[in-house]
Amino acid sequence: MTADPRPDGTGPVRAAVRARDPISQAGVVAQLGTESGEGAGVRPVLVTADDGTADVLVVVGDAVDDWLLAQLDGLAAADGPGPRPVLVVGQLDDTAGLQAIEAGGLSMVRRAESTAPLLREVVRAAARGEARLPTDLLSSLLTRVGRAQRQVLAPRGLTILPLSPRQLAVLRMIAAGADTATIARDLSYSERSIKNIVHEITVQLGVRNRTQAVAQAIREGLI
């Protein structure tokens, strides 16, 4: 297919794939190209062989090793806004995850968990500028990521916040004392949508209520 991404962000997401071996390369390409039946309004993912025209570069490796980090370093050193990286990694724990984050790898999927729908959603999220990490890594990484965000990523204009920009906007308004009605009005959402977003935040941060969510986010330097 040759359709071009639309400037309003509703067109296809172009993804390139880079792997150390042809079998991994072909497998991920096949996953991204699988028809998903995900419905109207969902941006399709188109696979391109040209990294230079890609919105997202999917890097496939066995571990966060020198080769994978070199791919991230190459993206960081490139002139202009290059594709956003998504890492598909065989072995991934919190130490390896933080190492990748510090190199600019803000979205990761374990190879064993990389179903076609999940991988496409992570690619679409990366194209929107949002990070995605395996959920079991989030709580163990929060303290270390907060430190990395302040000391390493923020000076480079990068972020690894485990919340979407929409969720962060809601959380900041909660921290400022705004109630649900005020947040809904100011952000042009329904009150029901704001309540759903607050629920998403508490689940992702592993807390019970909005007060704990604000406290956790402040402690970790997320807001």
Side-chain angles (χ1 to χ4, degrees):
M1 289 185 286
T2 59
D4 292 325
R6 299 176 189 170
D8 61 3
T10 61
V13 175
R14 288 188 177 274
V17 180
R18 187 181 296 171
R20 297 187 74 166
D21 65 272
I23 293 177
S24 295
Q25 176 96 13
V28 172
V29 168
Q31 280 190 311
L32 290 174
T34 301
E35 291 296 331
S36 63
E38 287 157 313
V42 175
R43 298 176 69 183
V45 176
L46 304 181
V47 180
T48 174
D50 184 358
D51 293 2
T53 65
D55 304 303
V56 175
L57 176 63
V58 181
V59 182
V60 188
D62 293 328
V64 179
D65 55 15
D66 290 344
W67 177 84
L68 188 144
L69 293 174
Q71 311 312 305
L72 295 175
D73 288 343
L75 288 176
D79 293 332
R84 295 184 173 99
V86 167
L87 308 182
V88 179
V89 185
Q91 301 174 26
L92 184 60
D93 57 20
D94 57 346
T95 299
L98 183 61
Q99 189 177 18
I101 288 166
E102 291 175 336
L106 304 183
S107 293
M108 289 173 247
V109 181
R110 287 192 182 92
R111 192 190 305 221
E113 300 168 354
S114 180
T115 63
L118 174 61
L119 185 56
R120 283 194 300 275
E121 176 49 37
V122 172
V123 166
R124 284 190 288 261
R128 296 192 299 266
E130 300 174 11
R132 289 288 188 273
L133 295 173
T135 54
D136 65 294
L137 285 183
L138 286 177
S139 59
S140 62
L141 282 175
L142 268 175
T143 299
R144 300 173 72 180
V145 166
R147 190 179 306 119
Q149 169 67 26
R150 294 188 296 271
Q151 299 176 0
V152 179
L153 301 180
R156 297 166 59 187
L158 301 172
T159 183
I160 184 51
L161 302 178
L163 300 174
S164 70
R166 180 180 68 172
Q167 291 169 331
L168 285 169
V170 170
L171 193 55
R172 289 189 181 107
M173 293 192 69
I174 293 172
D179 60 18
T180 299
T182 300
I183 298 171
R185 184 185 66 247
D186 290 357
L187 297 182
S188 299
Y189 289 110
S190 68
E191 291 189 29
R192 182 180 180 84
S193 294
I194 296 302
K195 291 177 182 178
N196 289 338
I197 293 169
V198 171
H199 176 70
E200 293 170 359
I201 292 169
T202 58
V203 170
Q204 287 184 235
L205 293 182
V207 297
R208 295 179 181 176
N209 54 49
R210 61 177 64 194
T211 301
Q212 291 182 353
V214 170
Q216 177 81 348
I218 291 173
R219 280 197 301 270
E220 307 305 339
L222 304 180
I223 61 173

